[in-house]
Amino acid sequence: MSVEADELGQSGEELAALLKAVRKRSGLSGVRTAARCNMSQSKVSRIENGKIRPSLLDVEQLLRACEAPPALVTQVLALARLANTEWQGARGMRRKGLDKKQLELASLEASSADIRFFLLSMITGLLSTPEYIRASLAHVPGDHSKTIARKLERQQVVYDRSKRFTFVLTEQAVRWPLVGPDALAVQIDHLASLTHLPNVRLGVIPITVPTGPAPLNTFTVYDERIATVELSSGVMVFRDPRDVTGHLEEFTHLEDRALFDDAARAFLGGCAAALR
């Protein structure tokens, strides 16, 4: 299905209105619909009023309860999948302030227990030295002191042992010369040091390792509920379980090809030594 970016912001309201119309068309009350779905009546009401975003399972249950015809089921499920996808454009994030995006990411990290990062071409802020962070923002006009401070504050979550982090980096991401050789060597040393944290698993895929289908984007999976994909023009946020599962499967495929522990530290040490 082809959609425009602005449709992603409108689909939630459309879905709520359509689900309410389907229920009324069926002649069922909210209470009766809730009983058929084994939901609370308040949840049905919040879904119909756009207060909460229903999962695809919620939508399927509601449609089944209302005995919606197949053509309508197809239409509503397509809209539900769209409602579970969000586009965050880079220009819009810059207008709001990139430090606000850091607060959003911190909230996601705080509410997640198992976070997986695939890093295709750069090192994520959670693993970055201050100099690397500054260099990553150098192409964006404006004062980034607040954003840099927020990024550094976010790094504390990596030391929270109640959470599990898995980072898979390509060799290209490790070696990408965003900063000068000396600073990059320090950055790589920092990556190696983080491999000793008991709740962090950090691996590197050497460029010589066949990976099969080429990964196209950096992405992050929060537990099994949200996947985010980074593009140069913005970020896609997926909540549809099928999209999240697809990214988890891709992550597992890439993770199986990475070097970890002593092998990762030896590889990173070689990369840093080559820069000195």
Side-chain angles (χ1 to χ4, degrees), residues 94-115:
R94 290 170 188 168
R95 282 196 300 271
K96 292 178 183 177
L98 294 178
D99 58 310
K100 305 296 191 301
K101 179 62 179 177
Q102 297 307 306
L103 293 174
E104 178 187 323
L105 290 172
S107 178
L108 258 179
E109 290 152 3
S111 64
S112 303
D114 193 352
I115 309 175

Side-chain angles (χ1 to χ4, degrees), residues 114-119 164-169 201-203 205 215 217-223 227 243-258 260:
D114 193 352
I115 309 175
R116 303 166 178 89
F117 292 80
F118 171 66
L119 306 172
R164 174 180 168 83
F165 293 87
T166 307
F167 300 92
V168 174
L169 298 83
R201 193 161 184 259
L202 189 152
I205 303 175
N217 301 103
T218 285
F219 63 88
T220 307
V221 183
Y222 298 88
D223 296 326
D243 292 323
V244 176
T245 297
H247 283 91
L248 282 172
E249 290 172 350
E250 184 176 3
F251 187 87
T252 299
H253 171 82
L254 295 164
E255 184 181 11
D256 288 344
R257 284 148 181 80
F260 287 93

Side-chain angles (χ1 to χ4, degrees), residues 119-124 132 135-136 169-170 172-174 176 178 218:
L119 306 172
L120 177 64
S121 58
M122 280 181 61
I123 298 168
T124 183
Y132 195 97
S136 73
L169 298 83
T170 65
Q172 296 94 317
V174 171
W176 189 258
L178 185 68
T218 285

Side-chain angles (χ1 to χ4, degrees), residues 23-91:
R23 178 184 60 77
K24 288 188 172 182
R25 175 180 171 178
S26 73
L28 292 175
S29 66
V31 172
R32 183 62 177 159
T33 301
R36 286 191 177 187
C37 296
N38 196 28
M39 287 182 192
S40 67
Q41 190 276 329
S42 62
K43 180 176 180 178
V44 172
S45 177
R46 291 198 301 273
I47 288 173
E48 291 185 352
N49 289 301
K51 301 298 184 184
I52 60 173
R53 179 188 289 108
S55 68
L56 264 69
L57 178 59
D58 291 334
V59 174
E60 288 172 349
Q61 288 178 318
L62 290 166
L63 294 173
R64 193 178 303 115
C66 296
E67 300 178 351
L72 185 56
V73 168
T74 299
Q75 177 189 351
V76 177
L77 286 177
L79 189 59
R81 191 159 193 261
L82 196 59
N84 278 275
T85 304
E86 178 185 348
W87 168 249
Q88 299 177 351
R91 284 176 293 184

Side-chain angles (χ1 to χ4, degrees), residues 1-4 7-12 14-15 53 56 76-86 237 240:
M1 178 174 57
S2 175
V3 298
E4 298 297 326
E7 291 183 65
L8 298 175
Q10 301 169 0
S11 55
E14 293 176 8
L15 177 63
R53 179 188 289 108
L56 264 69
V76 177
L77 286 177
L79 189 59
R81 191 159 193 261
L82 196 59
N84 278 275
T85 304
E86 178 185 348
V237 181
D240 183 333

